[in-house]
Amino acid sequence: MSGAALTGLRILVGLEWLYNVAWKTPPDFGENSGGGLYGFTRAAVEHPVFPPFSWLVEHLVLPNFVLFGWLTLVVETVLAVLLLTGTLVRVAALLGIGQSLAICFSVAEAPNEWPWSYFMLIGIHVVLLCTWSTRYFAVDEVRAQSHLGSGPGAAAALLRTWGIILALLGVAALIASFQTDRWASIGGLVGYEDLEVGLGTYNLAGALAVLVVAACALAGAILRRRELAFAGAVLAGAAAASIYLQSGRTDVWLGGTNTSAAVFLCAALVGAATGPVLDRTPRLGRSAPKLLRRRRY
C-alpha cells in the first residue's frame, strides 16, 4: 500500500475520533440525564457483548463514572491529535485498538448498532500499527528527517501545511460564526452535521483565534523562526485549555466544543514539534547514508 494511501487512512480515522469527542461533555458526561456517554456505557450492562466486560462496567465504571468520562475524553482526544498530526502513530494505533475494543464490547449488541463498524475500526488501527503511514504530513517524518539532516525543510513544510489548513479553517469558522450569534457559547459548526463530519464549532472570537494561530504557523514556516512556531503553539494550547475549563460549566468564550479544543491541540503539537527543528543548520552525519537506506521501504 502506498504511503499516500496510508496517510489518507490515518487522517480519515483521526477525523472520526476528532468529531466524536464533541459529545463527551464534562462535568458529568451525561450521568445526570442518563444520556450521552453514560447512556452508551450503560448499554454494556443492558445489552452484554462480553459478560466479564459488562461486569467491570457495572461494578467499576458506572460507580466512578465521572473519572471514566474524563479518561474517555482524554484517550479519544489523544487519538485524534496523534493521528491527525502523525505523531507516535504506532503508539496511537495500539491505543486505538484498545479503545475500539472497549466501544465494541459496550454497544455492539445495542439496538440500531452495526457491529461490523467496530470490527472495521479495529482493523484500521491494526493496519496503522503494522505499516508506515507517516511518510507525508507527519511529525514522525520531521523527526526522522532531522536525523538525516533534512529536518529544517521538513519542519517548515509541515508547519506551512498546517498554517494553510488553519487559515482555511479560520475563514470557514469566521463565516460560520455569522450564521449564529457571533459571540454564542456554542458557535457555528465547520462541517456537515448530518454526515458527522466536522472540525469543531467557533464563534467570532474562536475564528479569530484560529486565524492568529495560522498566521504564527505560516510566518514561522516562511521565516524559519522557532519563536513564531512556539508563539502559535502557546496560543493554541491556551485556547484549548480555555474550552476545556469552560465547557459544561459556563459560557465558552471561543464558542467551541471538545472537537474545537482538539483542533487547537493539533496546532499546538505541530508548532511545539517543528519549532526546535526550524532553524537548525542542515547537516548530514556519518550515519545518514545508512539511515537513508533503511527508510527505503
Side-chain angles (χ1 to χ4, degrees):
M1 189 179 294
S2 72
L6 289 168
T7 297
L9 184 66
R10 167 173 61 81
I11 293 171
L12 180 67
V13 74
L15 289 172
E16 190 271 340
W17 290 116
L18 180 71
Y19 182 87
N20 280 284
V21 297
W23 54 272
K24 278 81 174 181
T25 309
D28 72 317
F29 297 94
E31 183 174 14
N32 292 335
S33 65
L37 180 61
Y38 184 86
F40 280 95
T41 306
R42 189 166 180 80
V45 178
E46 298 173 347
H47 307 281
V49 176
F50 182 55
F53 182 83
S54 301
W55 186 92
L56 284 174
V57 170
E58 183 176 10
H59 295 92
L60 181 62
V61 172
L62 294 179
N64 304 283
F65 188 72
V66 172
L67 177 62
F68 169 78
W70 277 108
L71 179 62
T72 301
L73 176 57
V74 169
V75 167
E76 295 192 4
T77 300
V78 167
L79 278 166
V81 172
L82 293 185
L83 290 171
L84 288 174
T85 61
T87 306
L88 301 175
V89 169
R90 286 194 167 96
V91 173
L94 283 171
L95 188 61
I97 291 169
Q99 185 68 1
S100 301
L101 280 169
I103 297 171
C104 183
F105 287 155
S106 295
V107 301
E109 289 288 350
N112 302 316
E113 291 289 337
W114 187 44
W116 274 102
S117 61
Y118 304 108
F119 302 156
M120 287 189 289
L121 189 60
I122 294 167
I124 290 172
H125 288 94
V126 170
V127 170
L128 296 179
L129 176 65
C130 299
T131 58
W132 181 34
S133 63
T134 56
R135 176 64 182 85
Y136 305 103
F137 197 55
V139 169
D140 284 352
E141 179 64 12
V142 171
R143 292 168 56 221
Q145 290 297 325
S146 68
H147 291 296
L148 303 176
S150 305
L158 179 62
L159 188 61
R160 182 171 56 250
T161 301
W162 269 94
I164 293 170
I165 290 171
L166 290 170
L168 294 173
L169 172 60
V171 172
L174 195 64
I175 295 170
S177 71
F178 282 90
Q179 296 175 354
T180 61
D181 179 354
R182 284 174 292 174
W183 306 105
S185 180
I186 299 296
L189 172 67
V190 178
Y192 188 52
E193 191 169 8
D194 290 345
L195 291 179
E196 298 188 359
V197 176
L199 298 177
T201 64
Y202 305 87
N203 60 20
L204 182 57
L208 293 175
V210 174
L211 288 171
V212 171
V213 173
C216 289
L218 285 170
I222 293 169
L223 300 175
R224 303 286 182 98
R225 296 301 298 268
R226 67 174 66 188
E227 296 89 350
L228 291 169
F230 286 145
V234 170
L235 289 172
S242 73
I243 293 172
Y244 287 129
L245 290 172
Q246 295 164 352
S247 180
R249 300 177 181 86
T250 184
D251 288 347
V252 181
W253 296 339
L254 302 180
T257 62
N258 294 330
T259 292
S260 315
V263 170
F264 279 117
L265 287 178
C266 287
L269 177 56
V270 170
T274 57
V277 187
L278 275 178
D279 53 4
R280 287 182 185 170
T281 302
R283 64 181 181 84
L284 286 174
R286 291 182 178 178
S287 60
K290 184 184 294 184
L291 288 171
L292 283 167
R293 287 195 297 271
R294 286 181 181 177
R295 291 190 61 78
R296 290 173 182 167
Y297 58 88

